[in-house]
Amino acid sequence: MTDKELMEELSYKRNNAYLKMTESEKKEMNELCDGYRVFLNSGKTERECVKEAVKMAKASGFLELDSVDSLKPGDKVYKINREKNIFMAVIGTDDICNGVNIAGAHIDSPRLDLKQNPLYESMDMALLKTHYYGGIKKYQWPTVPLAIHGVIYDTDGNKREIVIGEKEDDPVFVITDLLPHLAKDQMSKKMIDGVEGENLNVLIGGMPIDAEEVNEKVKFSILKLLNQRYGITEKSFISAEIEIVPAQKAKNVGLDESFVGAYGQDDRVCAYTTLRGILDVDMPKTTSIAILVDKEEIGSCGNTGAQSAFMMMAITELIEKVNGKCSLTDLNRTISASACMSSDVSAASDPNFPSVTEANNACYAGYGVALMKYTGARGKSETSDANAEFVYSIGKVMDENGVIWQTGELGKVDQGGGGTIAQYVANLNMNVIDCGVPVLSMHSPFEVVAKSDVYMAYRAYKAFYAASF
Ligand code: MN
Ligand code: MN
């Protein structure tokens, strides 16, 4: 063996997945990403993603967990939590109390939520006040065509689902920005102050009604339209959940179509591949579970977030329906023996901003799915830091199943950071590791991922479900 060969053998090298994939894998990748783009277009909110997940689950023979009294190996069930969080399971042949394999992704994405009293008029224009949700760079949201999605109760007490701005002939909405000619003061501000949160007001109308006794004539016209079309009044907004999201559809990016560009890929890229992974599971040894959660972008809080007791309740119900009973000991045994992939995205190194990543420990678009032992910020704060044993066994499963994977941190040690649901799953006393797709322009209105990484994420979740830990 030459020294060169020995060096090759001794050193760790990452590979661009495109260089390692077979033609049939590339074909499968393209088919997967075609379906993924459709999913992104129909799932722009957590509620819509749950609906899509149910559609896909039902088509694959999943039944509502509440509708069955007992479960046996091979049975497929799902359970919905408040339309924003879904739990899916395929019962394994092994004793469920020996542990389950869980892949968990989040289906909420950064966006602008309407405030509870959003509508106002200024300079003969009607606008909607927003409160941004999650970590956004505020300057990215003006001058982008926007759509309105959400639920609102009409005056008769009916829940209405609203989607405006997605159909070809729908109008869209927009936040205006200052012309460069008059932006001297704005442009000399720090970027964080260039566009303020209180100025992210969405233009919704500008055609006044000639009503003499009414002061706010544009607001009046919009209220009339809203009432005619949806049966709502201004008060209806108080209980509503309305999200403002980019109206842009998912697209292939690049002459070679090697990337997918779309809003909301953090973390619907992992949600979709996790879904596709569990839909492929038939008669697993270990019970396979997928959970799609809400509220990750604001701390996994709330009754539909990863810190909610919902997952534990659903697992308890699963054990009860498999074994006829579930003692606290049964639940404890199951949870502590379980394995979890926190299916969430990582940052891809950006040729435009090479200085924020540390090359040896960064993820690269196209280099396969990213396994992250830890995330966090400021000295590993707010992370679960997976155990060596678990990281090793997950890596081994990936290698044995031909999954191309990489590892990397979010960025340089002192540059910042971020967390995922992993820390909350770890709190339950479960092994968990972050595993997902590297993203460019994360949290922007148009995020970008490499198709090979999407495909390898799907392969990773599939391999995970087939493994026992
Ligand atoms: Mn995420
Ligand atoms: Mn995020």
Side-chain angles (χ1 to χ4, degrees):
M1 189 184 280
T2 65
D3 282 349
K4 191 180 168 225
E5 285 164 345
L6 182 61
M7 181 59 181
E8 252 330 67
E9 198 179 297
L10 295 180
S11 55
Y12 166 65
K13 237 195 229 96
R14 281 164 287 188
N15 294 300
N16 189 304
Y18 284 118
L19 294 174
K20 296 281 165 183
M21 285 163 63
T22 64
E23 283 313 307
S24 76
E25 284 179 320
K26 284 182 189 164
K27 193 167 165 267
E28 208 185 354
M29 169 191 85
N30 283 320
E31 283 164 6
L32 180 82
C33 289
D34 288 346
Y36 172 47
R37 288 198 316 281
V38 173
F39 177 80
L40 284 169
N41 292 340
S42 41
K44 287 196 178 181
T45 67
E46 47 287 330
R47 287 176 192 263
E48 291 168 359
C49 286
V50 165
K51 271 197 184 159
E52 289 305 308
V54 169
K55 234 189 265 172
M56 290 162 70
K58 277 186 175 166
S60 295
F62 280 71
L63 299 173
E64 255 193 290
L65 180 55
D66 296 353
S67 73
V68 297
D69 293 328
S70 67
L71 290 165
K72 58 179 190 314
D75 283 353
K76 303 174 178 188
V77 285
Y78 69 90
K79 188 177 177 74
I80 300 170
N81 179 20
R82 295 173 170 87
E83 300 184 12
K84 295 189 255 184
N85 174 200
I86 184 170
F87 173 95
M88 296 164 66
V90 183
I91 307 303
T93 52
D94 196 7
D95 178 358
I96 190 168
C97 294
N98 286 339
V100 297
N101 288 347
I102 305 170
H106 68 91
I107 46 179
D108 61 317
S109 294
R111 59 177 189 254
L112 308 175
D113 286 343
L114 285 197
K115 288 191 184 184
Q116 282 357 94
N117 188 22
L119 184 63
Y120 75 103
E121 174 175 333
S122 176
M123 303 182 191
D124 279 13
M125 285 181 266
L127 299 112
L128 295 169
K129 298 237 36 117
T130 64
H131 192 138
Y132 59 90
Y133 172 97
I136 62 164
K137 288 162 98 174
K138 282 164 271 186
Y139 70 82
Q140 291 177 333
W141 291 74
T143 72
V144 173
L146 299 168
I148 293 178
H149 291 236
V151 295
I152 190 163
Y153 278 85
D154 66 22
T155 49
D156 292 330
N158 304 307
K159 188 161 86 180
R160 301 282 196 112
E161 284 172 32
I162 291 181
V163 179
I164 318 166
E166 295 294 345
K167 289 199 202 99
E168 203 47 56
D169 50 357
D170 270 1
V172 294
F173 308 89
V174 75
I175 296 163
T176 54
D177 197 2
L178 209 48
L179 62 167
H181 317 64
L182 293 178
K184 184 175 135 302
D185 291 348
Q186 183 194 34
M187 298 300 274
S188 58
K189 282 182 183 170
K190 281 188 187 164
M191 279 173 98
I192 195 167
D193 302 319
V195 174
E196 285 169 33
E198 215 52 76
N199 293 342
L200 293 174
N201 302 314
V202 180
L203 183 62
I204 187 177
M207 203 184 286
I209 289 179
D210 188 15
E212 221 158 77
E213 60 287 16
V214 177
N215 281 332
E216 299 174 302
K217 294 183 171 58
V218 180
K219 180 175 170 179
F220 180 47
S221 116
I222 293 298
L223 280 173
K224 271 182 83 173
L225 278 176
L226 288 171
N227 188 256
Q228 280 161 11
R229 288 183 194 168
Y230 307 105
I232 60 174
T233 66
E234 194 170 14
K235 194 182 174 190
S236 308
F237 284 110
I238 294 176
S239 56
E241 283 183 353
I242 311 267
E243 305 179 13
I244 309 293
V245 298
Q248 163 82 51
K249 299 273 184 284
K251 291 280 185 187
N252 289 327
V253 173
L255 204 54
D256 55 6
E257 306 193 355
S258 48
F259 301 97
V260 173
Y263 162 71
Q265 300 202 69
D266 172 10
D267 183 35
R268 291 168 192 142
V269 66
C270 299
Y272 182 72
T273 44
T274 294
L275 265 173
R276 291 289 304 260
I278 198 161
L279 295 185
D280 285 352
V281 174
D282 221 17
M283 184 69 77
K285 178 167 179 275
T286 304
T287 293
S288 305
I289 291 174
I291 183 155
L292 306 183
V293 294
D294 177 30
K295 300 281 187 282
E296 192 279 339
E297 295 295 354
I298 56 169
S300 297
C301 44
N303 51 20
T304 51
Q307 296 195 67
S308 154
F310 170 69
M311 185 173 84
M312 293 296 270
M313 291 175 173
I315 292 175
T316 305
E317 192 177 340
L318 217 58
I319 299 169
E320 265 170 9
K321 288 182 173 174
V322 171
N323 289 345
K325 62 169 185 54
C326 176
S327 66
L328 188 57
T329 311
D330 292 337
L331 181 64
N332 290 345
R333 229 184 96 205
T334 308
I335 296 301
S336 39
S338 290
C340 177
M341 275 208 170
S342 159
S343 320
D344 206 345
V345 299
S346 69
S349 301
D350 188 331
N352 288 326
F353 302 96
S355 67
V356 300
T357 43
E358 183 262 294
N360 286 342
N361 291 282
C363 294
Y364 296 89
Y367 277 61
V369 68
L371 285 183
M372 288 156 290
K373 186 177 184 301
Y374 52 86
T375 59
R378 303 170 308 278
K380 295 195 178 182
S381 232
E382 305 287 297
T383 185
S384 75
D385 209 351
N387 299 309
E389 295 83 349
F390 189 56
V391 181
Y392 175 76
S393 51
I394 288 278
K396 194 157 165 262
V397 167
M398 297 299 114
D399 288 340
E400 284 167 358
N401 287 278
V403 178
I404 299 170
W405 60 280
Q406 56 182 325
T407 185
E409 300 194 357
L410 204 57
K412 278 185 179 167
V413 174
D414 284 333
Q415 193 65 44
T420 64
I421 67 165
Q423 53 180 318
Y424 306 110
V425 174
N427 289 347
L428 303 171
N429 188 28
M430 196 182 295
N431 271 324
V432 53
I433 186 167
D434 281 299
C435 174
V437 176
V439 176
L440 291 158
S441 307
M442 196 196 293
H443 286 199
S444 78
F446 196 72
E447 302 173 312
V448 174
V449 300
K451 286 183 180 174
S452 53
D453 299 340
V454 180
Y455 175 63
M456 286 303 161
Y458 158 69
R459 291 274 302 269
Y461 305 136
K462 214 173 138 159
F464 169 71
Y465 283 135
S468 293
F469 299 93

Short mmCIF file of all heavy atoms in Angstrom, two decimals, residues 163-184:
data_model
loop_
_atom_site.label_atom_id
_atom_site.label_comp_id
_atom_site.label_asym_id
_atom_site.label_seq_id
_atom_site.Cartn_x
_atom_site.Cartn_y
_atom_site.Cartn_z
N VAL A 163 -57.89 30.56 1.83
CA VAL A 163 -56.63 30.57 1.08
C VAL A 163 -56.81 31.55 -0.07
O VAL A 163 -57.62 31.33 -0.95
CB VAL A 163 -56.27 29.17 0.52
CG1 VAL A 163 -54.96 29.24 -0.26
CG2 VAL A 163 -56.17 28.13 1.62
N ILE A 164 -56.08 32.64 -0.06
CA ILE A 164 -56.15 33.62 -1.15
C ILE A 164 -54.73 33.92 -1.63
O ILE A 164 -53.86 34.23 -0.81
CB ILE A 164 -56.79 34.96 -0.71
CG1 ILE A 164 -58.01 34.73 0.19
CG2 ILE A 164 -57.18 35.79 -1.94
CD1 ILE A 164 -58.47 35.99 0.92
N GLY A 165 -54.53 33.82 -2.91
CA GLY A 165 -53.22 34.17 -3.47
C GLY A 165 -52.47 32.98 -4.05
O GLY A 165 -51.33 33.12 -4.49
N GLU A 166 -53.09 31.82 -4.05
CA GLU A 166 -52.40 30.62 -4.54
C GLU A 166 -52.83 30.23 -5.95
O GLU A 166 -52.05 29.68 -6.70
CB GLU A 166 -52.62 29.44 -3.58
CG GLU A 166 -52.02 29.66 -2.19
CD GLU A 166 -50.50 29.71 -2.20
OE1 GLU A 166 -49.87 29.32 -3.21
OE2 GLU A 166 -49.93 30.16 -1.19
N LYS A 167 -54.10 30.50 -6.30
CA LYS A 167 -54.57 30.14 -7.64
C LYS A 167 -54.02 31.16 -8.64
O LYS A 167 -53.75 32.31 -8.30
CB LYS A 167 -56.10 30.15 -7.69
CG LYS A 167 -56.72 29.00 -6.92
CD LYS A 167 -58.17 28.77 -7.39
CE LYS A 167 -58.99 28.05 -6.34
NZ LYS A 167 -59.83 28.97 -5.54
N GLU A 168 -53.90 30.72 -9.89
CA GLU A 168 -53.29 31.54 -10.94
C GLU A 168 -53.95 32.91 -11.05
O GLU A 168 -53.27 33.92 -11.19
CB GLU A 168 -53.37 30.79 -12.29
CG GLU A 168 -52.36 31.21 -13.33
CD GLU A 168 -50.93 31.31 -12.78
OE1 GLU A 168 -50.40 30.33 -12.22
OE2 GLU A 168 -50.36 32.41 -12.93
N ASP A 169 -55.30 32.97 -10.95
CA ASP A 169 -55.98 34.25 -11.13
C ASP A 169 -56.36 34.91 -9.80
O ASP A 169 -57.09 35.90 -9.78
CB ASP A 169 -57.21 34.08 -12.04
CG ASP A 169 -58.10 32.94 -11.59
OD1 ASP A 169 -57.72 32.26 -10.61
OD2 ASP A 169 -59.16 32.71 -12.20
N ASP A 170 -55.86 34.38 -8.70
CA ASP A 170 -56.08 35.02 -7.39
C ASP A 170 -55.26 36.32 -7.30
O ASP A 170 -54.17 36.39 -7.86
CB ASP A 170 -55.56 34.12 -6.25
CG ASP A 170 -56.63 33.16 -5.73
OD1 ASP A 170 -57.76 33.20 -6.25
OD2 ASP A 170 -56.31 32.39 -4.80
N PRO A 171 -55.76 37.31 -6.58
CA PRO A 171 -54.89 38.44 -6.27
C PRO A 171 -53.86 38.01 -5.23
O PRO A 171 -54.06 37.01 -4.54
CB PRO A 171 -55.85 39.46 -5.67
CG PRO A 171 -56.93 38.63 -5.06
CD PRO A 171 -57.07 37.41 -5.93
N VAL A 172 -52.75 38.74 -5.13
CA VAL A 172 -51.79 38.49 -4.06
C VAL A 172 -51.70 39.74 -3.19
O VAL A 172 -52.36 40.74 -3.48
CB VAL A 172 -50.39 38.11 -4.60
CG1 VAL A 172 -50.44 36.78 -5.32
CG2 VAL A 172 -49.82 39.21 -5.48
N PHE A 173 -50.91 39.68 -2.16
CA PHE A 173 -50.77 40.78 -1.22
C PHE A 173 -49.29 41.13 -1.12
O PHE A 173 -48.45 40.35 -1.56
CB PHE A 173 -51.38 40.37 0.13
CG PHE A 173 -52.77 39.84 -0.05
CD1 PHE A 173 -53.01 38.50 -0.30
CD2 PHE A 173 -53.85 40.71 -0.06
CE1 PHE A 173 -54.30 38.02 -0.53
CE2 PHE A 173 -55.14 40.25 -0.29
CZ PHE A 173 -55.37 38.90 -0.52
N VAL A 174 -48.99 42.27 -0.55
CA VAL A 174 -47.58 42.66 -0.53
C VAL A 174 -47.30 43.67 0.60
O VAL A 174 -48.21 44.40 1.02
CB VAL A 174 -47.16 43.25 -1.91
CG1 VAL A 174 -47.70 44.65 -2.11
CG2 VAL A 174 -45.64 43.23 -2.08
N ILE A 175 -46.08 43.65 1.07
CA ILE A 175 -45.60 44.68 1.99
C ILE A 175 -44.73 45.61 1.16
O ILE A 175 -43.81 45.14 0.47
CB ILE A 175 -44.79 44.06 3.14
CG1 ILE A 175 -45.68 43.14 3.99
CG2 ILE A 175 -44.13 45.13 4.00
CD1 ILE A 175 -44.93 42.18 4.86
N THR A 176 -45.02 46.89 1.19
CA THR A 176 -44.26 47.82 0.34
C THR A 176 -42.93 48.19 1.01
O THR A 176 -42.78 48.08 2.22
CB THR A 176 -45.08 49.10 0.09
OG1 THR A 176 -45.45 49.64 1.36
CG2 THR A 176 -46.33 48.80 -0.70
N ASP A 177 -41.98 48.61 0.19
CA ASP A 177 -40.68 49.07 0.71
C ASP A 177 -40.37 50.43 0.10
O ASP A 177 -40.95 50.83 -0.92
CB ASP A 177 -39.58 48.04 0.38
CG ASP A 177 -38.32 48.25 1.22
OD1 ASP A 177 -38.31 49.15 2.08
OD2 ASP A 177 -37.35 47.51 1.00
N LEU A 178 -39.41 51.08 0.68
CA LEU A 178 -39.05 52.43 0.28
C LEU A 178 -38.25 52.42 -1.03
O LEU A 178 -37.41 51.55 -1.24
CB LEU A 178 -38.18 53.01 1.39
CG LEU A 178 -38.18 54.51 1.64
CD1 LEU A 178 -39.59 55.08 1.71
CD2 LEU A 178 -37.47 54.75 2.98
N LEU A 179 -38.50 53.37 -1.91
CA LEU A 179 -37.69 53.53 -3.11
C LEU A 179 -36.27 53.95 -2.71
O LEU A 179 -36.10 54.68 -1.74
CB LEU A 179 -38.31 54.55 -4.06
CG LEU A 179 -38.48 56.01 -3.61
CD1 LEU A 179 -38.81 56.87 -4.80
CD2 LEU A 179 -39.52 56.15 -2.53
N PRO A 180 -35.24 53.48 -3.48
CA PRO A 180 -33.85 53.81 -3.10
C PRO A 180 -33.61 55.32 -3.08
O PRO A 180 -32.79 55.81 -2.28
CB PRO A 180 -33.00 53.15 -4.20
CG PRO A 180 -33.91 52.41 -5.08
CD PRO A 180 -35.32 52.57 -4.62
N HIS A 181 -34.34 56.05 -3.93
CA HIS A 181 -34.19 57.51 -4.02
C HIS A 181 -34.42 58.21 -2.69
O HIS A 181 -33.89 59.29 -2.45
CB HIS A 181 -35.16 58.07 -5.04
CG HIS A 181 -35.28 57.27 -6.29
ND1 HIS A 181 -35.75 55.98 -6.32
CD2 HIS A 181 -34.95 57.57 -7.56
CE1 HIS A 181 -35.73 55.53 -7.55
NE2 HIS A 181 -35.23 56.47 -8.33
N LEU A 182 -35.28 57.60 -1.84
CA LEU A 182 -35.63 58.25 -0.58
C LEU A 182 -35.17 57.41 0.62
O LEU A 182 -35.65 57.59 1.72
CB LEU A 182 -37.15 58.47 -0.49
CG LEU A 182 -37.74 59.46 -1.48
CD1 LEU A 182 -39.25 59.55 -1.31
CD2 LEU A 182 -37.11 60.84 -1.30
N ALA A 183 -34.24 56.48 0.36
CA ALA A 183 -33.88 55.54 1.41
C ALA A 183 -32.56 55.89 2.10
O ALA A 183 -31.93 55.03 2.70
CB ALA A 183 -33.84 54.12 0.84
N LYS A 184 -32.16 57.15 2.04
CA LYS A 184 -30.86 57.53 2.61
C LYS A 184 -30.80 57.13 4.09
O LYS A 184 -29.85 56.48 4.51
CB LYS A 184 -30.64 59.03 2.44
CG LYS A 184 -29.29 59.51 2.92
CD LYS A 184 -29.13 61.00 2.59
CE LYS A 184 -28.57 61.83 3.71
NZ LYS A 184 -29.24 61.86 4.97
#
